């Protein structure tokens, strides 16, 4: 059948995160992360689920790599568990002393990386996918810890570069800092579940995350890049925001401004400092003094600190301004009334005709196409265009109930999702978006954070009682796309 080809060398992969898949939480010298403590706290995670066992990737990585090879993907994006590498971080008398490197932890990632390479699969390593050592949360306030947390992350990153950089040539510093900052220190629905001063701490955590990222990148570029020849960047999450239809020009303009504002408060919050040199003007205007300012040195440090544009994308919504914003109420610049949501001043709605995933997220392929083109237009000139540059879609996928193995082997909803979104990505490339790679989320069903094991995103079904893996129909479909480097027009 007719198919649309992707550029030569396009990178096809799949992705997971350490706490979601590894398990073995008490094995191999690993210390507690904030997610271990959060998940053990009653009421935090659905059904009281934890990642203590997850899907046992720690013991079953060879089987998992074999399944990836059978699919035909060229890359695997995994994350390294900070408390598995430096379990003493935050526990020593001197904060700058992380204790000895945990050789058992290093051995696990060595074995995983070597198994991937032996099977022709490129390792793409994320340094931080939310499992901060709990001791750092206790001692310095986690991502509120200023220079102390930035330096701790930089020391951890250096160990990873030293131990794995001879084989890992693609690094991601942080996964979705928007989630770490807002959900962890604002709404409290993710670890560490803090809601003490959300109107300030959300922005302070984000500021420290950006600076930690930039300091780690500086270490890689100054100390390792010349010898190891890899690339390093950051992955940001954002869904497309489309102005809701309106009957008059004034409302239409207000809805369009709301769409742009929503994109800047989610993606621009991190992408503008990295690619353009500072926070978006609208965020400064709305949050006022609650949004930290970069010093001149910090601005230089952060600006240009990513070799590519990493994007996690899952859906689309329509936008309108909140009533306060529409009525011209000034930005709430004080601790009493400020909050991320009020600062943003956006109401999200959906078309009732849109299909929705099991997470309730809207399936809108054309939104993905528009989003990629928006990124290209705003940031493309500032993202390196060499062989290591461009846009990498580091996550895209959907949750489907998959209640039984038989259901999962016929997950036509997910196949349709991938077909729609891959066609949209191909259209965006044809229209000028410099997309170089795509990672399906997720390789297998796993621990879905505060949703526990209720939501299944995987290309492979997992029986959580036996840990048996079974390829879904979507794994076969996606594998064919990866092998052919083309998406069929019809399925």
């Amino acid at each position: 059948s007719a198919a649309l080809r992707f550029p030569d060398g396009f990178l096809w992969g799949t992705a997971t995160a350490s706490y979601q898949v590894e398990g073995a939480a008490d094995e191999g010298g690993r210390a507690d992360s904030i997610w271990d403590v959060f998940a053990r706290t009653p009421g935090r995670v659905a059904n009281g689920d934890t990642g203590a066992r997850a899907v046992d990737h720690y013991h079953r990585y060879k089987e998992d790599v074999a399944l990836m090879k059978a699919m035909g993907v060229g890359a695997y994006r995994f994350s390294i568990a900070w408390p598995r590498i430096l379990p003493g971080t935050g526990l020593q008398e001197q904060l700058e002393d992380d204790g000895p490197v945990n050789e058992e932890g290093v051995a696990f990632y060595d074995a995983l990386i070597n198994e991937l390479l032996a099977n022709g699969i490129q390792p793409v390593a994320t340094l931080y996918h939310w499992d901060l050592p709990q001791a750092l949360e206790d001692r310095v306030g986690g991502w509120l810890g200023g220079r102390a947390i930035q330096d701790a992350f930089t020391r951890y990153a250096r160990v990873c570069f030293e131990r794995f950089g001879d084989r890992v040539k693609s690094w991601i510093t942080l996964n979705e800092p928007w989630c770490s900052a807002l959900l962890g220190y604002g709404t409290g629905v993710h670890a560490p579940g803090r809601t003490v001063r959300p109107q300030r701490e959300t922005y302070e955590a984000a500021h420290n995350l950006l600076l930690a990222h930039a300091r780690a990148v500086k270490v890689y570029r100054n100390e390792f890049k010349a010898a190891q020849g890899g690339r390093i960047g950051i992955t940001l999450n954002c869904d497309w925001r489309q102005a809701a239809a309106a009957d008059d020009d004034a409302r239409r303009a207000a809805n369009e401004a709301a769409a742009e504002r929503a994109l800047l408060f989610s993606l621009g919050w991190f992408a503008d400092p990295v690619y353009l040199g500072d926070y978006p003007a609208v965020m400064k205007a709305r949050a006022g003094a609650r949004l930290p300012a970069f010093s001149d040195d910090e601005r230089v440090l952060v600006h240009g600190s990513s070799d590519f544009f990493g994007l996690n994308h899952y859906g689309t919504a329509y936008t309108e301004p909140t009533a306060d914003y529409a009525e011209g109420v000034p930005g709430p610049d004080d601790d009493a009334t400020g909050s991320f949501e009020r600062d943003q001043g956006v109401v999200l709605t959906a078309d009732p005709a849109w299909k929705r995933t099991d997470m309730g997220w809207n399936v809108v392929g054309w939104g993905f196409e528009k989003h990629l083109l928006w990124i290209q237009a705003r940031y493309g000139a500032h993202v390196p265009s060499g062989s290591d540059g461009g846009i990498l879609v580091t996550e895209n996928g959907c949750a489907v109930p998959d209640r039984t193995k038989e259901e999962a082997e016929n997950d036509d909803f997910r196949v349709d999702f991938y077909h729609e979104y891959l066609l949209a990505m191909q259209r965006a490339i044809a229209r000028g978006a410099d997309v170089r790679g795509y990672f399906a989320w997720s390789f297998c069903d796993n621990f879905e954070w505060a949703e526990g094991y209720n939501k299944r995103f995987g290309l492979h079904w997992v029986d959580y009682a036996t840990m048996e893996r079974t390829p879904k129909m979507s794994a076969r479909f996606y594998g064919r796309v990866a092998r052919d480097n083309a998406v069929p027009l019809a399925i």
Side-chain angles (χ1 to χ4, degrees):
S1 63
L4 296 175
R5 285 191 57 79
F6 286 83
D8 291 345
F10 195 87
L11 185 63
W12 295 101
T14 186
T16 66
S18 49
Y19 190 71
Q20 294 182 272
V21 298
E22 282 182 7
D26 297 325
E27 295 181 48
R30 180 184 176 278
D32 265 352
S33 75
I34 55 175
W35 266 97
D36 293 282
V37 172
F38 186 80
R40 289 197 300 259
T41 305
R44 290 297 203 177
V45 175
N47 307 315
D49 293 338
T50 78
R53 191 182 183 206
V55 297
D56 201 27
H57 182 63
Y58 185 84
H59 295 112
R60 297 169 184 262
Y61 69 90
K62 288 189 177 183
E63 175 188 354
D64 290 341
V65 172
L67 288 167
M68 294 175 207
K69 184 177 182 180
M71 261 201 306
V73 297
Y76 173 46
R77 177 184 169 229
F78 63 96
S79 77
I80 298 170
W82 187 347
R84 201 179 284 288
I85 298 298
L86 291 175
T89 296
L91 294 171
Q92 314 303 312
E93 184 176 344
Q94 299 297 320
L95 189 58
E96 297 76 19
D97 179 6
D98 299 306
V101 173
N102 178 29
E103 297 300 338
E104 286 185 90
V106 170
F108 166 67
Y109 295 110
D110 272 339
L112 171 61
I113 291 164
N114 292 341
E115 188 73 12
L116 289 166
L117 292 171
N119 285 277
I121 299 170
Q122 180 185 144
V124 177
T126 301
L127 291 170
Y128 185 73
H129 200 133
W130 306 354
D131 41 2
L132 181 77
Q134 178 63 37
L136 279 177
E137 183 66 32
D138 294 338
R139 187 153 179 194
V140 303
W143 290 110
L144 301 176
R147 187 60 188 263
I149 192 67
Q150 298 167 32
D151 288 347
F153 179 72
T154 305
R155 293 192 302 272
Y156 156 64
R158 181 181 279 108
V159 171
C160 293
F161 301 149
E162 288 172 344
R163 298 303 189 97
F164 311 123
D166 58 327
R167 288 153 292 153
V168 173
K169 303 304 176 186
S170 293
W171 293 98
I172 294 167
T173 53
L174 306 177
N175 177 78
E176 300 184 352
W178 182 96
C179 292
S180 298
L182 180 59
L183 306 185
Y185 297 86
T187 65
V189 297
H190 278 189
R194 187 175 166 89
T195 57
V196 179
R197 295 165 63 237
Q199 60 275 72
R200 282 186 179 269
E201 291 186 355
T202 297
Y203 296 121
E204 291 169 3
H207 199 69
N208 286 317
L209 282 154
L210 273 167
L211 290 168
H213 147 77
R215 294 191 195 285
V217 170
K218 183 177 181 180
V219 166
Y220 185 75
R221 288 175 173 172
N222 289 351
E223 301 177 25
F224 298 96
K225 186 176 175 69
Q228 296 178 355
R231 60 179 171 176
I232 188 166
I234 190 170
T235 276
L236 309 174
N237 61 295
C238 188
D239 291 343
W240 179 243
R241 301 301 181 229
Q242 180 75 25
D247 296 331
D248 61 79
D249 290 346
R251 280 189 61 200
R252 191 176 303 112
N255 293 352
E256 288 172 356
E260 185 80 358
R261 193 164 62 253
L263 292 168
L264 293 176
F265 263 81
S266 50
L267 193 62
W269 186 6
F270 299 93
D272 272 31
V274 169
Y275 300 103
L276 305 180
D278 205 354
Y279 290 121
V282 68
M283 291 192 72
K284 291 182 178 182
R286 295 291 291 172
R290 290 179 291 109
L291 181 69
F294 293 108
S295 70
D296 290 343
D297 288 346
E298 289 171 343
R299 190 174 292 106
V300 169
L301 181 73
V302 174
H303 190 196
S305 59
S306 194
D307 294 333
F308 51 86
F309 196 109
L311 173 70
N312 294 354
H313 173 95
Y314 286 97
T316 287
Y318 288 129
T319 60
E320 298 175 61
T322 60
D324 277 358
Y325 197 97
E327 291 167 11
V329 176
D333 63 355
D334 60 75
D335 285 354
T337 59
S339 73
F340 181 86
E341 291 78 11
R342 289 196 64 193
D343 295 343
Q344 184 176 235
V346 174
V347 176
L348 301 180
T349 58
D351 184 333
W354 288 341
K355 292 188 294 182
R356 292 191 177 188
T357 72
D358 198 32
M359 294 289 287
W361 299 344
N362 303 314
V363 180
V364 188
W366 57 257
F368 186 35
E369 177 185 1
K370 287 192 171 192
H371 198 179
L372 292 168
L373 291 167
W374 185 89
I375 288 169
Q376 187 66 39
R378 185 173 181 87
Y379 303 111
H382 307 278
V383 177
S385 58
S387 60
D388 291 335
I391 300 167
L392 291 180
V393 178
T394 42
E395 287 181 27
N396 178 237
C398 67
V400 179
D402 295 338
R403 287 172 288 263
T404 65
K405 181 164 73 172
E406 291 69 32
E407 266 189 43
E409 288 179 298
N410 294 281
D411 62 335
D412 51 354
F413 183 99
R414 186 178 285 107
V415 171
D416 289 344
F417 176 97
Y418 278 116
H419 185 237
E420 180 175 340
Y421 275 72
L422 293 174
L423 283 173
M425 180 171 67
Q426 213 283 338
R427 291 194 303 269
I429 292 170
R431 294 177 61 190
D434 185 18
V435 186
R436 311 285 186 87
Y438 177 96
F439 291 76
W441 184 273
S442 173
F443 162 69
C444 65
D445 296 334
N446 55 55
F447 176 83
E448 183 49 37
W449 307 112
E451 300 287 347
Y453 296 100
N454 285 344
K455 306 299 182 184
R456 293 177 177 265
F457 278 84
L459 293 167
H460 293 81
W461 191 78
V462 177
D463 182 324
Y464 291 126
T466 66
M467 294 296 162
E468 175 192 13
R469 277 89 155 122
T470 303
K472 302 178 186 180
M473 181 164 58
S474 55
R476 296 190 291 275
F477 170 77
Y478 182 62
R480 187 179 74 179
V481 170
R483 291 190 301 274
D484 296 346
N485 196 34
V487 59
L489 285 171
I491 53 174

